[in-house]
Amino acid sequence: MSADDAPSEFVSRRVQNLPASGIRRFFDLAGSMDDVISLGVGEPDFDTPRQLTEAAIRSLNEGHTHYTSNYGLLELRRGVSAHLDRLYGVHYDPASEIVITAGVSEGLLLAAHSVLDPGDELLCAEPSFVAYMPCVTLAGGAFVPVPTEEESGFLVRAADLEDGVTSRTKAILLSYPNNPTGAAMARDDLLPIADLAARRNLLVISDEIYDRMTYGFEHTCFASLPGMRERTILLGGFSKSYAMTGWRVGWACAPAGILEAMMQVHQYIIMSAPTPSQYAAIEALRSGEDDVQAMLREYDRRRRLIVNGFNGLGLTCIEPRGAFYAFPSIRSTGLSDEEFAEQLLREEKVVVVPGSAFGACGAGHVRACYAAPYGQIEEALARIGRFVHKHR
Ligand SMILES: Cc1ncc(COP(=O)(O)O)c(C=O)c1O
């Protein structure tokens, strides 16, 4: 950090103590270069389907430029309720058990702030989404990472979670399909975790933002498991499956006694999710399914390309069964994941993210997001091949 970057004396210790983002540095560097292929950012390369954008424009032209109910538009909450009922057979009351959020990012913040008291511990499998730890820490909770390994497909076992349980443990944060590994949990993987949650009286925060992005694999909603609905905060959204990252809209569902607490936080920090985005989201649930499926088919094609490509280069890569990330091991190059990512960017202008940005056990891997055009992934693999041969 240069003297110019030093935090002002006015910045709180809480924020000063947050770890520097391992990702931002790469994006800043990539932003200053030409002809870069980015497999870095975790967002769809597709534009939002046209009819969703048009629904938002229409709503603005009709004068819907005001706050909505703090909970979000009732029509959208009804749509989310019907959507979850149809897909997973879980029922949430649109009047008292659903809040429309500014993305799952906000849902995570609401969950952490409304259930964690200072020092309460939350267990979370790693590697995991970069925002989890800061989000829990900012809420005053203690983030307890539970490492997973490549040998077990980066799936977290109930026994490993249970080893981390103490008298202060309040919640488990689950996330599947996983960012950055692409690991997806099957019903049989989840049942022992449900059993643990019930036996040790733990709340489960289940981030299922990639639920629609599975490949030949059926997603199980955690709240649909026997007895789990009453101890689950379910988070989901539109960003990934409907290519709506910039709209900032998602949902949080929970039993009324928890949801009301989340609403209290939500109304003071956000008031209500962006109104035009809520109209676009209504349209997404109404008519977006064909688009979701078309994008999914294309992600699947790219997924096979990138996984075969990495394995062909000797960068062993387990098959990601969900989301849009590959997480190959780069150990055979003799470089650390940080060195690999930085040198690859400087020498071949390809952005990937060092695995250790997602937790210590991610070291030795990099994350490559395949939500990029097929031709760009082919070119990126050619450049990575050149890079690997040079460094081995
Ligand atoms: C696992 C996970 N959860 C949540 C988010 C944030 O989603 P949103 O755009 O809905 O805030 C992301 C974004 O990358 C993610 O990977």
Side-chain angles (χ1 to χ4, degrees):
M1 190 184 289
S2 73
D4 289 347
D5 297 336
S8 150
E9 61 181 308
F10 298 115
V11 174
S12 71
R13 263 193 292 282
R14 207 172 50 242
V15 171
Q16 285 192 39
N17 288 341
L18 288 176
S21 164
I23 295 188
R24 232 172 54 197
R25 199 163 59 87
F26 284 93
F27 295 159
D28 289 348
L29 181 58
S32 66
M33 297 164 74
D34 294 327
D35 187 30
V36 170
I37 299 181
S38 179
L39 307 180
V41 191
E43 69 167 330
D45 57 313
F46 296 107
D47 290 336
T48 303
R50 192 68 219 157
Q51 80 278 15
L52 316 192
T53 306
E54 274 161 8
I57 294 169
R58 210 166 39 246
S59 75
L60 290 168
N61 284 331
E62 287 167 1
H64 297 296
T65 56
H66 305 270
Y67 297 129
T68 66
S69 147
N70 292 138
Y71 288 93
L73 291 167
L74 182 58
E75 188 182 354
L76 178 53
R77 284 179 277 140
R78 286 193 176 129
V80 169
S81 175
H83 179 73
L84 295 172
D85 220 339
R86 180 174 63 78
L87 289 174
Y88 307 120
V90 199
H91 183 72
Y92 285 103
D93 179 0
S96 61
E97 297 184 318
I98 299 176
V99 56
I100 303 302
T101 58
V104 169
S105 304
E106 194 218 341
L108 286 164
L109 183 139
L110 299 183
H113 279 269
S114 54
V115 304
L116 297 175
D117 280 315
D120 279 351
E121 293 171 6
L122 172 143
L123 295 166
C124 181
E126 279 193 344
S128 66
F129 178 42
V130 292
Y132 291 155
M133 195 271 263
C135 189
V136 169
T137 311
L138 285 174
F143 182 87
V144 181
V146 177
T148 60
E149 300 128 23
E150 187 174 15
E151 294 69 43
S152 38
F154 292 111
L155 293 176
V156 67
R157 284 176 294 252
D160 294 336
L161 287 167
E162 188 151 18
D163 284 346
V165 175
T166 71
S167 57
R168 297 303 310 264
T169 309
K170 192 148 190 194
I172 299 172
L173 171 51
L174 284 182
S175 179
Y176 62 95
N178 178 277
N179 169 10
T181 66
M185 310 273 284
R187 188 181 164 86
D188 283 350
D189 301 318
L190 294 168
L191 281 171
I193 298 175
D195 176 64
L196 167 67
R199 273 191 294 109
R200 306 299 291 257
N201 191 28
L202 303 174
L203 176 82
V204 174
I205 301 168
S206 195
D207 176 352
E208 300 183 25
I209 189 161
Y210 296 104
D211 66 336
R212 307 305 313 285
M213 303 185 140
T214 57
Y215 307 98
F217 184 84
E218 195 177 324
H219 180 82
T220 300
C221 175
F222 195 80
S224 73
L225 299 175
M228 287 304 107
R229 187 188 174 289
E230 297 316 307
R231 58 173 71 249
T232 299
I233 295 176
L234 172 63
L235 305 177
F238 297 88
S239 286
K240 314 288 176 168
S241 12
Y242 296 93
M244 290 178 69
T245 43
W247 298 78
R248 313 311 303 128
V249 61
W251 62 79
C253 305
I258 298 175
L259 195 97
E260 210 37 53
M262 294 171 71
M263 260 300 293
Q264 258 177 299
V265 182
H266 171 78
Q267 72 191 358
Y268 293 129
I269 61 164
I270 294 283
M271 191 82 87
S272 58
T275 303
S277 305
Q278 294 192 53
Y279 281 97
I282 291 172
E283 189 59 36
L285 294 176
R286 188 158 42 214
S287 71
E289 188 58 25
D290 288 350
D291 298 286
V292 170
Q293 295 305 326
M295 289 188 271
L296 200 58
R297 280 192 294 277
E298 179 56 19
Y299 290 135
D300 195 14
R301 221 164 66 86
R302 300 168 181 185
R303 180 180 77 104
R304 281 179 268 127
L305 171 69
I306 205 164
V307 171
N308 292 337
F310 281 132
N311 282 316
L313 293 172
L315 304 178
T316 50
C317 182
I318 61 157
E319 186 194 344
R321 293 199 290 175
F324 41 42
Y325 307 104
F327 200 61
S329 164
I330 49 82
R331 289 205 177 88
S332 62
T333 62
L335 299 171
S336 74
D337 53 306
E338 292 262 354
E339 290 164 343
F340 184 99
E342 182 140 4
Q343 292 181 30
L344 178 65
L345 177 56
R346 290 189 192 282
E347 292 170 29
E348 293 290 347
K349 299 186 176 177
V350 175
V351 183
V352 294
V353 182
S356 50
F358 306 94
C361 65
H365 292 259
V366 294
R367 186 191 78 176
C369 175
Y370 52 84
Y374 198 89
Q376 279 193 21
I377 297 175
E378 285 179 318
E379 170 62 19
L381 285 168
R383 295 186 189 185
I384 294 170
R386 221 163 35 216
F387 177 80
V388 167
H389 286 121
K390 190 165 130 198
H391 286 274
R392 250 197 206 119

